[in-house]
Amino acid sequence: NRMRQVRVVACGFLLNVIYIGLVFLWATDGFGKVLAGLIPCESVSVAYGVGTWASVASLVLLFLAQRAIKRDEAKVRAADRLR
């Protein structure tokens, strides 16, 4: 069911954008100052690891999946019109 696929990909895209936003907010001064106040150290350094870049890559792949699903749906509708 392609419409269900479109909804699942859209939900995944939305959740991924929220996740990336929270990671960015934590990495910048948003949660960084709060965390620095809780941990008795001079400063908190942030290092972007594989998980951060993998979520950005999954965002791109979800976008490409959405395009492919819509293209497939257009082909099916065009074939139905020919019948």
Side-chain angles (χ1 to χ4, degrees):
N1 191 352
R2 276 178 285 285
M3 297 318 288
R4 183 178 297 157
Q5 288 176 347
V6 168
R7 282 186 293 222
V8 168
V9 168
C11 287
F13 191 84
L14 179 66
L15 289 173
N16 212 350
V17 166
I18 291 170
Y19 172 72
I20 291 172
L22 288 175
V23 166
F24 180 73
L25 181 66
W26 178 80
T28 58
D29 291 332
F31 293 130
K33 287 182 181 177
V34 174
L35 189 61
L38 295 175
I39 298 174
C41 65
E42 293 285 324
S43 66
V44 176
S45 64
V46 176
Y48 294 110
V50 175
T52 306
W53 298 114
S55 63
V56 173
S58 71
L59 201 65
V60 172
L61 293 174
L62 284 169
F63 173 73
L64 293 174
Q66 183 86 2
R67 270 187 22 188
I69 293 167
K70 287 185 179 183
R71 229 183 278 155
D72 187 44
E73 181 66 24
K75 284 182 186 178
V76 168
R77 287 185 186 201
D80 285 344
R81 273 186 261 144
L82 291 176
R83 286 187 203 179

